[in-house]
């Protein structure tokens, strides 16, 4: 039986595309490149416009409270749910003082809000925000590729911030740095031939090791790198700082009042008695 030319036609195999990220940056605030048929400045529509306006509100809230930038990798939905619960518990785990007589109880503050962002639209919102320096944003995200999230804190409370940073290290411990031998061993195992050629490889559940890292913070238009974020977390509460400032300002007046009160008593009498004796001795020498 003769085969037709159509049945003997060979279909070329499809090219295998290399898997990898579509871009090599996490967050870009550079001005967009002009594209033919698109006018600048760019305006979003539909769902992107909603996200843009939402991100602008998040950035605007950083004028009174810090906004943390977080890099996350290999996170599942269950791990994100657990992370949000841990952050909520850590925000309430701060030293509380019982209100004194006549003072009102402290009002309940809203909880921190963790938002997984779309970096391209969030970068456009940062670029359009007037008080944010784009150079500082580029320095914060330099060398970072992957997904980002932002954590909006309700107030600037250093003890609360310190508790949240500790929760990050406890919930998602930092990954240990692999040595060159370990990397080479993993590469050899990946490229090695199967133990039983021709047999179907058993499917195994992949062990996901999530990664979470604080890239910096945004507060009142200023970008804080991780070192400064840790320094802010070591400060006292604003109420404690106010009390210390009031104490420093009132200490000279308090010392003066103590000196005058002491002089009005026995010290003043002893001072006058000493002055009297000195005058009498001087008068005797002159005579």
């Amino acid at each position: 039986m003769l085969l037709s030319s159509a049945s003997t036609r060979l279909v070329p195999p499809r090219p295998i595309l290399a898997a990898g990220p579509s871009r090599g940056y996490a967050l870009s605030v550079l001005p967009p490149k002009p594209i033919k048929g698109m006018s600048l400045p760019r305006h979003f529509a539909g769902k992107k416009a909603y996200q843009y306006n939402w991100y602008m509100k998040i950035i605007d809230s950083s004028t009174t409270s810090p906004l943390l930038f977080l890099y996350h990798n290999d996170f599942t939905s269950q791990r994100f749910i657990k992370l949000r619960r841990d952050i909520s518990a850590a925000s309430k785990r701060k030293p509380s003082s019982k209100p004194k007589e006549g003072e009102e109880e402290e009002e309940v503050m809203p909880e921190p809000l963790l938002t997984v962002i779309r970096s391209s639209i969030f970068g456009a919102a940062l670029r359009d925000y007037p008080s944010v320096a784009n150079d500082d944003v580029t320095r914060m995200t330099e060398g970072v590729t992957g997904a980002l999230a932002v954590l909006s804190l309700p107030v600037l409370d250093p003890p609360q911030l310190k508790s949240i940073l500790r929760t990050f290290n406890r919930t998602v411990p930092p990954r240990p740095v692999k040595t060159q031998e370990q990397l080479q061993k993993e590469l050899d195992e990946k490229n090695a031939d199967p133990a039983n050629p021709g047999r179907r490889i058993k499917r195994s559940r992949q062990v996901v090791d999530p990664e979470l890292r604080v890239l910096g913070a945004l507060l009142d238009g200023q970008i804080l790198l991780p070192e400064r974020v840790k320094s802010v977390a070591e400060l006292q509460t604003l109420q404690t700082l106010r009390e210390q400032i009031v104490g420093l300002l009132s200490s000279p007046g308090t010392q003066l009042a103590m000196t005058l009160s002491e002089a009005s008593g026995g010290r003043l009498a002893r001072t006058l008695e000493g002055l009297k004796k000195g005058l009498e001795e001087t008068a005797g020498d002159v005579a």
Side-chain angles (χ1 to χ4, degrees), residues 91 94-100 103-109 155 157 160 237 239:
S91 63
K94 59 180 183 177
S96 59
S97 56
K98 296 182 179 180
K100 299 179 182 179
E103 294 184 357
E104 298 182 357
E105 296 184 358
E106 185 179 359
E107 60 179 355
V108 179
M109 300 299 299
V155 292
D157 191 354
Q160 184 188 68
T237 61
Q239 182 63 27

Side-chain angles (χ1 to χ4, degrees), residues 64-265:
T64 56
S65 57
L67 181 68
L68 296 182
F69 292 89
L70 306 176
Y71 163 77
H72 63 90
N73 186 25
D74 291 339
F75 260 81
T76 61
S77 58
Q78 291 78 10
R79 291 304 298 265
F80 266 119
I81 293 174
K82 183 178 183 305
L83 179 62
R84 286 187 172 94
R85 290 175 179 174
D86 294 340
I87 292 174
S88 176
S91 63
K92 303 174 184 178
R93 195 185 309 119
K94 59 180 183 177
S96 59
S97 56
K98 296 182 179 180
K100 299 179 182 179
E101 296 183 359
E103 294 184 357
E104 298 182 357
E105 296 184 358
E106 185 179 359
E107 60 179 355
V108 179
M109 300 299 299
E111 297 182 357
L113 178 62
L114 179 64
T115 307
V116 178
I117 63 174
R118 187 172 180 178
S119 57
S120 58
I121 301 180
F122 197 90
L126 279 175
R127 182 175 61 247
D128 296 342
Y129 203 79
S131 60
V132 178
N134 295 339
D135 295 338
D136 296 338
V137 177
T138 303
R139 191 180 304 111
M140 178 183 64
T141 58
E142 184 177 4
V144 179
T145 58
L148 297 182
V150 291
L151 179 64
S152 306
L153 300 181
V155 292
L156 177 57
D157 191 354
Q160 184 188 68
L161 177 60
K162 184 177 181 180
S163 179
I164 292 176
L165 294 179
R166 286 181 176 178
T167 300
F168 289 160
N169 295 330
R170 182 171 59 253
T171 304
V172 188
R175 290 182 177 179
V177 181
K178 295 182 179 181
T179 61
Q180 190 65 26
E181 291 77 8
Q182 293 175 343
L183 294 176
Q184 186 63 35
K185 183 179 179 181
E186 291 180 358
L187 183 61
D188 295 342
E189 292 177 353
K190 182 178 180 180
N191 298 330
D193 295 333
N196 299 318
R199 291 189 178 182
R200 184 178 180 181
I201 301 176
K202 294 182 179 180
R203 298 180 61 181
S204 59
R205 180 175 297 180
Q206 183 181 4
V207 179
V208 180
D209 185 16
E211 183 181 4
L212 185 68
R213 189 166 73 249
V214 178
L215 299 179
L218 176 63
L219 179 61
D220 197 14
Q222 297 184 3
I223 295 294
L224 307 180
L225 296 181
E227 293 76 13
R228 292 193 62 186
V229 175
K230 294 179 181 178
S231 301
V232 173
E234 297 296 332
L235 297 176
Q236 301 293 333
T237 61
L238 293 179
Q239 182 63 27
T240 303
L241 294 177
R242 292 191 187 100
E243 293 175 355
Q244 292 178 355
I245 293 175
V246 171
L248 291 175
L249 295 177
S250 61
S251 59
T254 305
Q255 293 178 359
L256 178 60
M258 292 176 60
T259 303
L260 293 177
S261 63
E262 292 178 356
S264 62

